[in-house]
Amino acid sequence: MEMTAIILVVVFFALLLINVPISICIGLSTMLVMMINIDTLPALATVAQRMAGGLNSFALLAIPFFVLSGLLMGRGGIAKRLIECAMALIGALPGGLALVNVVSCMLFGAISGSAVAATSAIGSFMLPEMKKAGYDPNFSAAVTAAASTTGMLIPPSNILIVYAIASGGVSIAALFMAGYLPGIMVGFALMFVCYVYAKRKGYPLSDRLPLSVVATKVLAAIPSLFLIFLIIGGIVGGIFTATEAGAIAVVYALMLSVGFYREVKVKELPEILLKSAETTAIVMLLIAASTAMSWVLSIENIPQTLSAFMLNISDNPIIILLLINLLLIVVGAFLDMTPAVLIFTPIFLPVAEQLGMSPIQFGIMIVLNLSIGLCSPPVGAVLFITCAIAKTKLEEIIKPLLPLYAAMFFVLMLVTYFSWFSEAIPAMFGFIER
């Protein structure tokens, strides 16, 4: 077992260091380990079978639908209307533009289900505006990077669907409900940091808008925000499943972007569909390869061995959960969220359950952990996009990111040690018993 684990880890990171795509790293390291244990042809056939089996899930059909609806929303003028709505409501507060940045990323991330989409759509508009208002460009970039990850928790979230598969069938609807409060808490924690920062720096306040203008901006954003209530209301009410909700989201986004707002032309739809297919293919290849690796880890009893090892380190649940959190934050800084969830859920979920943590609470914990990694160097995807938009360097936004990291970590500790924050809303709607 020890040799298998060493070979798997060494080959994986060696390929990663020479910039091999992450899905190929996972697949090649898995195949090499299998070929060491059995003959080449059966090894290749087994890996291929496990990859195909990993995609044989009805729940995964939701991912291409939500990817497509997110792209339609991103191109359909949704971001602009959400920003204007947030600006009208809270733009006159101290640090108003930074607060608007956070709220807009939360709303757009929730609608699109993508941190990268939120970074691109909101950052492209907000970062130049914040620079014109006198905000430090590095701080503005840091706020955008951190806030864009809230969409990983606030549903509909593709990564929560992936976790539901990796955990062996946790209710997607329950996970969606569980993500609301922690996602909003992260947003408010980031807003608190922005408020304090703006007060200390003395950034100018924006003028208050007349009530009629505020009402107009809010009304203009309601059709976009209605998607959240449509999807979640339908799932909670038992009207449709998460997969069916994804299809409904596509229809609604199409009607909104092409018919209502008219920001997307019919001739642009083939390009959007192609982009959606490319994104879906990348995600599905990651899921397939990660599923095969998880199976190899399982047959080698690596999760059980690591579980026993961690439980032998200490009998204090606080210490063990803290170690898991720290390890996942490091993993998130190097590994994409999808393979990280698929690989580490089978390893750490049994440990968490032995400590009394429910699969729902652990799911929110691991996604929040990896969300912090998503905006952390050296691999954090949203960091590079934000730096490109803000025309700044990665090393220059690390310092302003530190208090934002602290705010996110504070919420992570609350979610880790108090089940109420992740289970209260699912329990309210009858998805779990408390």
Side-chain angles (χ1 to χ4, degrees):
M1 188 283 292
E2 292 83 359
M3 184 56 64
T4 298
I6 291 170
I7 293 172
L8 194 66
V9 171
V10 169
V11 172
F12 172 78
F13 280 103
L15 293 171
L16 199 63
L17 287 173
I18 59 175
N19 291 325
V20 176
I22 183 70
S23 55
I24 306 300
C25 294
I26 296 170
L28 288 178
S29 57
T30 302
M31 282 194 292
L32 180 60
V33 168
M34 286 297 297
M35 286 188 291
I36 290 173
N37 290 326
I38 60 177
D39 291 337
T40 300
L41 190 58
L44 295 176
T46 301
V47 172
Q49 183 184 41
R50 291 295 165 179
M51 290 179 69
L55 298 179
N56 186 21
S57 171
F58 179 73
L60 287 179
L61 285 174
I63 292 179
F65 287 130
F66 282 125
V67 168
L68 178 55
S69 67
L71 288 173
L72 287 168
M73 287 287 187
R75 295 279 287 270
I78 309 302
K80 179 178 68 176
R81 288 166 177 82
L82 293 177
I83 291 171
E84 290 176 349
C85 174
M87 185 76 75
L89 292 172
I90 60 174
L93 297 174
L97 285 179
L99 302 182
V100 168
N101 195 339
V102 175
V103 172
S104 301
C105 283
M106 290 172 64
L107 294 174
F108 190 80
I111 289 172
S112 67
S114 169
V116 172
T119 304
S120 303
I122 304 300
S124 298
F125 183 90
M126 287 303 305
L127 291 178
E129 291 296 316
M130 293 177 73
K131 185 176 182 180
K132 283 194 294 185
Y135 284 75
D136 177 7
N138 296 322
F139 170 73
S140 303
V143 170
T144 304
S148 64
T149 64
T150 55
M152 299 295 95
L153 288 168
I154 303 174
S157 167
N158 289 337
I159 198 64
L160 289 177
I161 297 173
V162 172
Y163 171 78
I165 303 298
S167 62
V170 175
S171 167
I172 295 176
L175 286 170
F176 278 6
M177 291 294 99
Y180 266 114
L181 185 55
I184 293 171
M185 288 167 59
V186 171
F188 276 111
L190 296 176
M191 291 171 70
F192 175 77
V193 173
C194 293
Y195 179 87
V196 173
Y197 186 91
K199 292 283 284 186
R200 290 181 58 187
K201 294 291 184 179
Y203 287 137
L205 299 178
S206 301
D207 296 332
R208 291 185 179 275
L209 297 176
L211 188 59
S212 59
V213 176
V214 173
T216 301
K217 299 296 184 184
V218 172
L219 287 173
I222 284 178
S224 302
L225 295 173
F226 180 70
L227 177 64
I228 301 175
F229 297 101
L230 174 66
I231 298 305
I232 302 305
I235 294 174
V236 172
I239 301 172
F240 41 71
T241 66
T243 301
E244 292 164 345
I248 291 169
V250 171
V251 174
Y252 184 80
L254 193 63
M255 293 171 55
L256 205 60
S257 302
V258 178
F260 189 76
Y261 290 146
R262 297 183 179 179
E263 299 267 350
V264 174
K265 308 299 181 185
V266 174
K267 64 181 180 181
E268 296 175 333
L269 291 179
E271 177 194 347
I272 294 174
L273 290 169
L274 181 60
K275 181 64 177 176
S276 172
E278 291 174 354
T279 303
T280 300
I282 293 170
V283 173
M284 291 303 179
L285 182 57
L286 279 170
I287 291 173
S290 301
T291 302
M293 179 180 278
S294 297
W295 179 78
V296 170
L297 293 173
S298 177
I299 64 172
E300 293 292 334
N301 291 320
I302 293 175
Q304 293 84 348
T305 304
L306 287 176
S307 297
F309 173 75
M310 296 198 72
L311 292 172
N312 286 332
I313 292 176
S314 171
D315 57 0
N316 188 333
I318 296 176
I319 300 298
I320 297 175
L321 289 174
L322 182 60
L323 289 174
I324 292 175
N325 276 309
L326 294 176
L327 180 57
L328 287 173
I329 288 175
V330 173
V331 167
F334 290 92
L335 201 59
D336 187 78
M337 288 186 78
T338 299
V341 166
L342 288 165
I343 293 168
F344 288 95
T345 295
I347 293 175
F348 290 130
L349 180 56
V351 180
E353 288 183 312
Q354 288 189 53
L355 298 175
M357 181 179 282
S358 72
I360 290 177
Q361 183 185 1
F362 179 77
I364 301 303
M365 186 190 87
I366 191 173
V367 170
L368 180 48
N369 259 294
L370 297 173
S371 296
I372 297 174
L374 197 62
C375 58
S376 302
V379 182
V382 298
L383 280 183
F384 295 101
I385 297 172
T386 306
C387 289
I389 297 172
K391 296 181 173 60
T392 187
K393 295 180 180 178
L394 180 62
E395 58 269 21
E396 293 177 349
I397 72 171
I398 300 303
K399 184 177 179 180
L401 265 171
L402 293 178
L404 300 171
Y405 285 145
M408 297 173 78
F409 189 78
F410 173 74
V411 177
L412 173 62
M413 292 297 98
L414 292 178
V415 170
T416 299
Y417 295 114
F418 300 96
S419 62
W420 183 88
F421 292 105
S422 54
E423 296 181 356
I425 296 180
M428 186 187 306
F429 288 95
F431 286 102
I432 57 175
E433 295 182 2
R434 303 195 65 197

